[in-house]
Amino acid sequence: MESSYMTLLSLIVFLPALGALALAFFPREKTETIKVFSLVVTAVVFLLTVVMALPGEGVWQFDTAVSDMQKVFSVGWIPSFNIDYFMGVDGISFPLVLLTTFITMLSMAASWPIEKHVKAYCMLFLVLETGVLGVFLALDFFLFYVFWEVMLLPMYFLIGVWGGPRREYAAIKFFLYTLLGGVFMLIAILMLYFASDLKLLNKDQLVAAHVISASAAAEEQEAQLAEIQSADDPVHTFNILALQQLGQHTEAFNSEILGKSLQWWAFLLLLVGFVIKVPSVPVHTWLPDAHVEAPTPISMILAGILLKLGGYGIIRICYPICPQAGYDLAYFVCALGVVSMVYGAFAALAQKDFKRLVAYSSVSHMGYVVLGIGVWSAVAGNNFNPDAWKMGMNGAMFQMIAHGVASPGMFFIVGIVYERVHHRNLDQFGGLFAKMPVYSGLAFVIFFAGLGLPGLCGFIGEVFVTLSVWTYSHALAVVAASVVILTAAYILWTLQRVYLGPEYKGPHGDHLTPITSRELAIAVPIAVFAIVLGVYPQSVFRYMTPSVDQTVDALAAWTEREKPAGEETQTAQRPAVEQTARVRLPHVNKTP
Amino acid sequence: MSLYDLMHSLTADSMRSVGGFEGELVLCATIVLILLLRIPRLTSRIDSFYVMLVGSAVALYMAGPWHPVEQPSQLFTGLLINDTFTVYFRTLLLFFAVLFAIFTRISGVPDRDAAPDVYALVLGATLGMCIMASANNALMIFLGVEMASVPSYALAGLLKGRRQSSEAAIKYAVYGAGTAGIMLYGISLLCGVLGSAHIPTMGVRLAELLQPANLEAGVGLDTHMVLALGGLMVMVGLAFKLSAVPFHFWCPDVFEGASAEVNAFLSVASKAAALALLARVAIGFGYIAPPIETQAEEQVALFNVADEPAQQPETKEQEAKPPAEEEEVLLVEEPSGSAAAFSPLADRAEQIAALAPARDYLAWVLAFMAMITCTFGNLAAYGQTNIKRLLAYSTIAQAGYMMMPVPAAMVLAGSNPAAAQGAIQAMVFYAGAYLFMNLGAFAIVAFLRNVLLSEEIEDYAGLIRRAPITVICFSLILVSLIGIPPLAGFVGKFQIFSALVQAKLWIVLLVAGLNTAISLYYYLRVVKTMTIDPEPETRRPVSMSFIPGTYVVLVSVPLLILGIWPESLNALARMATGQLF
């Protein structure tokens, strides 16, 4: 079993890298062949994940009934540091993996206009995909970090070589920000590693963390347990699941450093590393530059996938490993999300560059993700009812997927028009509807999805997050809800300036040809998904909800154990909500 | 002990010691051979490259880790120590010598006329470095450093016609002489107070001096300042070899003036030996190594005064004498006023505990130096336009990183020797990875110099279109120097960071982390110039021939391999540090 899981996940992760290796032997001039080959590789990877998503009981099928990690395998890699080649997938990572392979395939298809150094482009592109998929599937913290950093160099070159006029500045800025975040993360990883000790866990917890194989015979399990327990020194681990168990069930990460607990520092360092990627205000400034300068397909990847890594890291690592710190800093995290939402929306309103506007809309939309994750609503005051938090975290996850569909679409829409008229100045657009009706129709669908119009994918995530915040903090909820108005303002205003109006008066007006079939083939699936996810969100929720709920339940149980009523240190003004009440709909006018 | 007995046991000891000294002896023979072969007309036509290559390869074979060292042993009456740590660094140095010989052959510097001189100097310096790595006696520290340095001064002036080169050599020599003097003074202070030049004995003496009873009673306090000063002065000499701030001024000038080949030698071999020596000195004075089980009768206790408790510490060195006379000086008996301070301690654990103040002192001095060195090197590298100067500052910064595990080991040694061993292991690993990184970098600089006739970074613009393989390898090397996975530099840095976390040296850790981010910019600038920038129109056609290209690939590929499967080098590093704690 384990070996077939290993084949499956390794294939998904490393097939793109192998493709890149194979590309090295292609002749440089055969650009068309190289592009087709790369597209085929990304398509095969996508198909593999689709096979996983299909309903069924097969070894390769993702089981939606299981909330724990599945398809788990572990092979020793660097024994001196207990580092394993350890991967698995659950409902939190699987939708993101699916999103990654889907968007990567589409953006490879969107890469056809690239004419410069095609071979190098495709190789870097495929290596990038390996890095992203590796991050989502890795369960060993070291492995996670390696994949996390492996992405940087391809991304640097993809922006720096194939980007716009200020590409070098944008590329190095992206690299510096992310590397700095990565260094903080590395420090936190090491702090957690050296504080961890598998000996503190009991057998059930070790089995849950896959340290002890669940499928092994009872005697074998006992032998493995005895081996761990008999070690003289602490048994450190990079196993993310074991670190979660240690964080939630033991005192391992509570030692004091410089006046705060170890997990407080680790949480903060990890959070900085992740929110740089998300990105949240005030560490978001690399994003507008990177987006504006990156070529269209890379913008799609950046917005659609790379930003999700930050949110994924917070859900998978920050909260489950450092619950105490997460509890203490919950309000801070939520406030970070709300500030990003408001700031991003206002900044988007002020933009004159079409692509920059979309970039700031990403900052705003990803704020929902941070906010939704941070809603620690399970407190003594409401009898540790985790429902609102579940709603928030599910909303955050859904928002990641929705944004992962809508935002690449928006960048692609911008890219189509930029390719024709070679400018992105919002003031010089207008009247595109008349010249490119099909394109404009798709643009409306995708932009409305970004806006959060009911019936389209953006709505579900936003409304879930906003509702969940109400139980946590009225103030934040009111602010978060009012951001919808700002979002509507900048998107509608943009649509008005670009597509409506009598006629196009800007430069290169005669180049405004109708959308090509290749472009349609990319834009239509995005638009379709934007509608399907909006109408039938259960299609995504059925994969993610069990795992997300389990994560929240574990943290709520931790809160109940560690923060019983009376001892609670209040960090936020929390309303007394009737215990049984489900979250009620606040009166927010969602329609623009 | 009669003269006969002394001679007898000395002979026996020397014969026994030769076994652990074969690599060095082969080096000596090779040097002599290179020098003699040029005299007779018949043999003068033999290319000394082959002698160098065969000599260093044989030395590598004789000294390599495939001859397991079960037990550390002291050589030549305790002057040197032959343990796995020695073996590792000796292997590293000799392996480098082999690679270096091939490198110089491909790059064509030195030419055939200068080759015998250069190879003799290189091997001589390597010999000195081997001694640095195995020094077990304060005298050998000095001798090793000098033996490594003096040939390096000459090597720096290798390009005889170039004014810059001569200037670099003079600067290097003057600086080296100055710091050597200071270090010798420091050594004499330490030996004087502690009554021995044998480092393990000095460690024991220091423990006795610093034992809690003494500190409480205020005995021997007058010597503490002398010891601190002596320690600091020894650090000066080591810092010079490591090019640590503030003794780094020679480094950029020498690197710019000297040829890239010499730079490779100075930055890899010299630095590795200096690191090994730094670890030896720090452990020697901050920790008591496990006792060496030897045939005590055979061991001549020339320097090992601690073995003779009846005798009082007799040495008080008056002034720095030339090394040859020094051993007699050490034996001059002189009643010591503070002898009462040296009351023996019960066991090793107590001695180690007593050394805590020494460890703290070393940890803080070294941590401070490492942080400054790292930060300064990285910041100064920003403005550089010459690739050799940039790499010079890069080596300064890298020296800072590589020093960091030593203070971590000092912090950990008292409470957790296993973790301290891990810290030194990190340094040892990094030194191994560093060999490939800097040898590769300077080899590429040399090969590009041959085709471009330039060492300015701006002349590398757009080179990827002309020499893609070389540029990709150079990029890999530079990225490895930043410390980004999956390259060997990252694994090294990861281990250094883990040592710092274990030692809870948060400030050092933060500085190291920030420095990684700082260093990104200038390393990446070189990569960017080579890959993204457009080609200058005036450049002559560039083409990299097959052999240099192959060499470059062979030197860079290990970075990737060690980055993904670091366990092999890890195992070697663990073996190397296994006998230290």
Side-chain angles (χ1 to χ4, degrees), chain A residues 77-78 80 168 175 183 194, chain B residues 498 502 513 524 528 564 567:
Chain A
W77 178 22
I78 307 176
S80 353
E168 287 161 22
F175 204 151
V183 167
F194 284 110
Chain B
S498 23
Q502 273 192 295
L524 213 56
K528 189 212 87 176
I564 299 175
E567 209 48 32

Side-chain angles (χ1 to χ4, degrees), chain A residues 244-311:
Chain A
Q244 292 178 352
Q245 297 286 349
L246 282 166
Q248 291 172 17
H249 298 288
T250 70
E251 301 285 309
F253 304 143
N254 290 350
S255 58
E256 193 181 298
I257 296 169
L258 307 176
K260 289 285 183 181
S261 72
L262 184 144
Q263 60 168 298
W264 192 87
W265 288 108
F267 183 89
L268 207 61
L269 288 169
L270 289 168
L271 190 73
V272 171
F274 291 134
V275 298
I276 284 178
K277 205 82 174 181
V278 168
S280 290
V281 177
V283 285
H284 66 288
T285 58
W286 63 269
L287 181 102
D289 289 312
H291 268 316
V292 169
E293 300 307 325
T296 303
I298 301 309
S299 287
M300 290 168 70
I301 296 233
L302 195 58
I305 306 168
L306 292 204
L307 306 190
K308 310 301 171 293
L309 295 166

Side-chain angles (χ1 to χ4, degrees), chain A residues 28 77-81 83 116-117 142 145-153 156-157 159-161 167-168 171-172 175-177 179-180 183-184 186-187 189-194 233 236 238 255-258 262 269, chain B residues 382 416 418 425 464-465 468 475 479 482-486 490-491 493-495 497-499 501-502 504 506 509-510 512-514 516-518 520-521 524-525 527-528 531-534 563-567 570-571 574:
Chain A
R28 199 182 302 175
W77 178 22
I78 307 176
S80 353
F81 280 89
I83 296 167
K116 196 167 138 194
H117 312 307
F142 185 87
Y145 184 77
V146 167
F147 281 124
W148 182 275
E149 299 276 286
V150 160
M151 284 182 306
L152 294 184
L153 214 56
Y156 169 76
F157 284 113
I159 298 175
V161 177
R167 55 181 182 255
E168 287 161 22
I172 191 81
F175 204 151
L176 267 177
Y177 265 83
L179 185 76
L180 194 66
V183 167
F184 286 144
L186 180 62
I187 293 175
I189 291 174
L190 288 167
M191 285 164 76
L192 292 172
Y193 173 73
F194 284 110
D233 300 318
H236 301 315
F238 279 115
S255 58
E256 193 181 298
I257 296 169
L258 307 176
L262 184 144
L269 288 169
Chain B
Y382 263 53
N416 189 351
Q425 192 185 319
I464 190 153
R465 318 232 217 287
S475 305
V479 170
I482 303 171
I484 292 177
F490 165 70
V491 183
K493 212 164 253 182
F494 168 79
Q495 298 198 11
F497 279 31
S498 23
V501 170
Q502 273 192 295
K504 298 193 168 52
W506 304 118
L509 182 68
L510 193 67
L514 291 178
T516 304
I518 296 175
L520 170 76
Y521 183 77
L524 213 56
R525 189 165 56 100
V527 176
K528 189 212 87 176
T531 53
I532 299 180
D533 285 1
I564 299 175
W565 293 284
E567 209 48 32
N570 248 342
R574 196 170 30 247

Side-chain angles (χ1 to χ4, degrees), chain B residues 335-376:
Chain B
S336 170
S338 58
F342 295 103
S343 51
L345 284 163
D347 61 359
R348 185 165 156 251
E350 210 168 303
Q351 289 170 340
I352 292 170
L355 278 174
R359 278 197 296 274
D360 285 351
Y361 174 72
L362 281 169
W364 280 112
V365 170
L366 289 174
F368 187 69
M369 207 147 79
M371 288 192 292
I372 302 276
T373 302
C374 201
T375 313
F376 178 87

Side-chain angles (χ1 to χ4, degrees), chain B residues 57 61 65 143 145 194 220 238 241 250 261 348 387 399 414 420 440 484 503 572:
Chain B
Y61 172 73
L143 266 182
V145 168
L194 299 174
L238 292 174
K241 290 303 298 173
W250 61 272
E261 289 80 1
R348 185 165 156 251
I387 185 73
I484 292 177
L572 275 182

